[in-house]
């Protein structure tokens, strides 16, 4: 699933955001293609072009409930001088087109989607006729042909129709041999519908990656439970699991793991069976209880050549402490994110989301970016040598910060739909300045 990439050496090396991301994307590889049934292929990425085997629609058919007729027989028809035609039968959807023949002076009742019978040249909507009742224009078609004692077996047509009116031509949507979908297409509901319409029951795709999210910390309590002294609710695992699903993954959330290295290591190893990517949050700084570093700094090194997690410092704010590497016999990628809510979410957007999109086999793995005018009450300060990412709202070419710079301010994050990017060599950004913006929604 992953291959080792060259990494800068030295424990004190300060990684740039770009270096860390390049290391991740050079290591993570797209998942192997598989053949899936259509219902299971939603959200997956096609690995080959799909060619149309059968034209769509496969035959000329009616787009209206009405009567299939010859053009000459209804030319000049009006309410004062209707065209009177003999009704020779019904054509329903799913019925063979050659069961009826419409000759001069004749008509066939036809339902929406039914094949155009031989001899017919156009379709007259039922609202333009008396419906075979002899009582003037009707508003709709009866469920079945009327018995002889209820109708004359004739229909009066009150308006003319041009050739091929209300007829969907064979192949007017797509024709046999056309390319229906290109390799690299993400299969959403319309694409699944098209595949079904052209007769494809299965399709070759890269599967949606399975992402396991674990949060760490003995202080974490599950939402809905009672908070004790010094405890907080576990929000990171919920936010990151939702973010993984939003990125296209099948995501699994694991309840918060206490600050015990052996328990965490065992939990991660148990999750490998269902993971294409592991994401942890918390325990990657330099504190005495940074359990992720303790548990994973050397995991797998002895038994699995090339595996192991590298913990590093990045020149960014928020999100300075990060971890990346692989674990287990399949070298499953693992990204270790900080525990502060804003730090973990920003880190996910910058590093985990591109990794998920790479596993899917997508070419464009990044959030879109744009330039916008900074709207703020005062200048924004930024630490020298750090690339800062500030939560913001974006609209009409203007971006406005929300909340403060603190990495614990999760309430402001819920109102942000963008990140303002302040480069490493900029320490102050004045209102009205043109800035780079990452669009989150």
């Amino acid at each position: 699933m992953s291959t080792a990439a060259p990494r800068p050496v030295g424990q004190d090396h300060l990684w740039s955001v770009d270096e860390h991301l390049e290391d991740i994307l050079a290591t993570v590889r797209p998942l192997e293609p598989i053949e899936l049934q259509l219902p299971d292929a939603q959200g997956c990425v096609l690995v080959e072009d799909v060619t149309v085997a059968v034209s769509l629609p496969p035959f000329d058919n009616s787009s209206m409930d009405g009567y299939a007729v010859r053009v000459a027989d209804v030319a000049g028809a009006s309410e004062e001088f209707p065209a009177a035609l003999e009704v020779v039968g019904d054509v329903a959807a799913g019925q063979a087109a050659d069961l009826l023949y419409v000759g001069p002076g004749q008509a066939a009742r036809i339902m929406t989607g039914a094949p155009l019978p031989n001899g017919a040249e156009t379709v007259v909507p039922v609202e333009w006729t008396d419906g075979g009742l002899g009582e003037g224009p009707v508003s709709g078609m009866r469920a079945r042909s009327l018995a002889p004692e209820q109708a004359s077996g004739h229909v009066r047509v009150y308006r003319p129709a041009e050739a091929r009116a209300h007829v969907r031509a064979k192949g007017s949507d797509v024709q046999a041999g056309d390319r229906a979908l290109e390799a690299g297409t993400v299969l959403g509901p319309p694409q699944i519908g098209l595949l079904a319409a052209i007769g494809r029951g299965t399709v070759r795709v890269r599967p949606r990656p399975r992402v396991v999210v674990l949060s760490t910390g003995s202080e974490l309590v599950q939402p809905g439970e009672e908070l004790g002294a010094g405890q907080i609710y576990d929000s990171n695992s919920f936010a990151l699991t939702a973010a993984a699903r939003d990125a296209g993954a099948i995501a699994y959330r694991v309840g918060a793991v206490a600050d015990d290295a052996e328990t965490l290591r065992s939990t991660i190893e148990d999750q490998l069976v269902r993971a294409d990517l592991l994401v942890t949050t918390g325990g990657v700084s330099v504190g005495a209880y940074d359990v992720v570093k303790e548990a994973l700094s050397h995991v797998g090194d002895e038994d699995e050549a090339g595996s192991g997690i590298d913990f590093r410092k990045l020149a960014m704010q928020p999100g300075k402490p990060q971890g990346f590497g692989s674990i287990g016999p399949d070298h499953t990628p693992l990204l270790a994110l900080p525990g502060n809510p804003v730090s973990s979410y920003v880190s996910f957007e910058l590093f985990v989301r591109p990794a998920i999109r790479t596993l899917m086999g997508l070419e464009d793995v990044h959030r879109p970016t744009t330039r916008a005018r900074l709207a703020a009450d005062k200048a924004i300060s930024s630490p020298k040598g750090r690339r800062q990412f500030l939560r913001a709202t974006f609209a009409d070419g203007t971006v406005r910060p929300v909340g403060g710079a603190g990495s614990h301010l999760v309430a402001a994050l819920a109102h942000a739909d963008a990140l303002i990017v302040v480069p490493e060599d900029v320490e102050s950004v004045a209102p009205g300045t043109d800035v780079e913006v990452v669009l989150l929604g």
Side-chain angles (χ1 to χ4, degrees), residues 149-163:
E149 63 272 16
Q150 295 176 300
S152 64
H154 287 77
V155 64
R156 288 183 174 85
V157 179
Y158 300 110
R159 292 176 59 178
E162 297 179 355

Side-chain angles (χ1 to χ4, degrees), residues 4 32 42 53 56 58 77 83 90 113-114 118-119 134 138 147 180 211 219 287 300 337 376 402 411:
E32 289 298 316
Q42 183 173 351
L56 193 64
D90 283 5
N118 293 330
V138 296
V211 176
E219 78 280 11
L337 311 183
V402 292

Side-chain angles (χ1 to χ4, degrees), residues 124-168:
V124 176
V126 66
E127 294 85 356
W128 297 4
T129 77
D130 67 353
L133 301 177
E135 299 174 356
V138 296
S139 59
M141 188 77 78
R142 288 293 185 92
R144 296 185 60 84
S145 294
L146 296 171
E149 63 272 16
Q150 295 176 300
S152 64
H154 287 77
V155 64
R156 288 183 174 85
V157 179
Y158 300 110
R159 292 176 59 178
E162 297 179 355
R164 310 289 293 177
H166 312 112
V167 174
R168 302 168 179 146

Side-chain angles (χ1 to χ4, degrees), residues 53-410:
V54 178
S55 295
L56 193 64
F59 48 81
D60 291 350
N61 69 90
S62 178
S63 65
M64 304 282 289
D65 290 342
Y67 289 85
V69 301
R70 292 174 176 249
V71 173
D73 289 336
V74 295
S78 66
E79 290 201 26
E80 186 178 2
F81 300 105
L85 305 175
E86 177 191 2
V87 180
V88 295
D90 283 5
V91 189
Q95 183 176 327
D98 57 0
L99 296 180
L100 276 180
Y101 179 81
V102 176
Q106 295 180 332
R109 286 202 339 157
I110 191 167
M111 310 306 155
T112 302
L116 192 69
N118 293 330
E121 300 167 335
T122 190
V123 172
V124 176
V126 66
E127 294 85 356
W128 297 4
T129 77
D130 67 353
L133 301 177
E135 299 174 356
V138 296
S139 59
M141 188 77 78
R142 288 293 185 92
R144 296 185 60 84
S145 294
L146 296 171
E149 63 272 16
Q150 295 176 300
S152 64
H154 287 77
V155 64
R156 288 183 174 85
V157 179
Y158 300 110
R159 292 176 59 178
E162 297 179 355
R164 310 289 293 177
H166 312 112
V167 174
R168 302 168 179 146
K170 175 182 178 179
S172 57
D173 193 351
V174 290
Q175 296 189 5
D178 286 351
R179 182 169 57 185
L181 295 171
E182 294 182 0
T185 299
V186 179
L187 298 180
Q191 292 77 31
I192 295 291
L194 173 57
L195 290 168
I198 62 176
R200 289 291 295 263
T202 64
V203 66
R204 191 163 176 77
V205 297
R206 295 193 192 276
R208 294 168 62 197
R210 300 164 301 162
V211 176
V212 174
V213 178
L214 304 91
S215 55
T216 64
S218 298
E219 78 280 11
L220 299 178
V221 175
Q222 296 304 299
E225 297 180 4
E226 195 75 23
L227 281 179
Q231 293 182 320
I232 60 172
Y233 287 118
D234 172 20
S235 63
N236 284 1
S237 66
F238 287 91
L240 299 186
T241 301
R245 289 173 181 156
D246 181 69
I250 298 170
Y252 305 103
R253 190 191 70 86
V254 178
V257 181
D259 288 322
D260 178 76
E262 190 57 42
T263 300
L264 176 60
R265 188 182 297 116
S266 175
T267 301
I268 289 176
E269 290 173 351
D270 288 344
Q271 294 298 322
L272 287 174
V273 68
R274 63 170 182 173
D276 298 307
L277 176 69
L278 285 157
V279 179
T280 67
T281 172
V284 295
S285 294
V286 293
Y289 295 97
D290 288 323
V291 66
V292 176
K293 289 182 70 174
E294 180 184 351
L296 300 181
S297 288
H298 304 290
V299 68
D301 282 351
E302 295 179 4
D303 300 327
E304 303 294 339
S307 65
I309 310 301
D310 181 34
F311 292 90
R312 52 190 65 158
K313 299 174 182 178
L314 269 62
M316 66 179 285
Q317 186 183 41
K320 181 179 180 181
Q322 300 282 338
F324 171 64
S326 65
I327 185 171
D330 294 324
H331 300 294
T332 303
L334 184 148
L335 284 95
L337 311 183
N340 280 319
V342 177
S343 298
S344 72
Y345 183 72
V346 170
S347 299
F348 181 97
E349 287 292 338
L350 297 179
F351 308 124
V352 183
R353 183 182 173 90
I356 291 173
R357 308 290 279 179
T358 298
L359 288 167
M360 293 175 67
L362 291 167
E363 291 187 11
D364 186 4
V365 300
H366 303 287
R367 288 284 198 185
T369 61
T370 188
R371 305 290 299 184
R373 184 181 62 84
L374 175 64
D377 297 330
K378 59 181 180 179
I380 293 175
S381 61
S382 186
K384 184 178 181 180
R386 301 271 191 93
R387 187 179 304 181
Q388 185 169 209
F389 298 88
L390 296 169
R391 291 144 292 165
T393 57
F394 171 80
D396 301 325
T398 299
V399 65
R400 181 180 296 276
V402 292
S407 58
H408 65 292
L409 301 174
V410 69

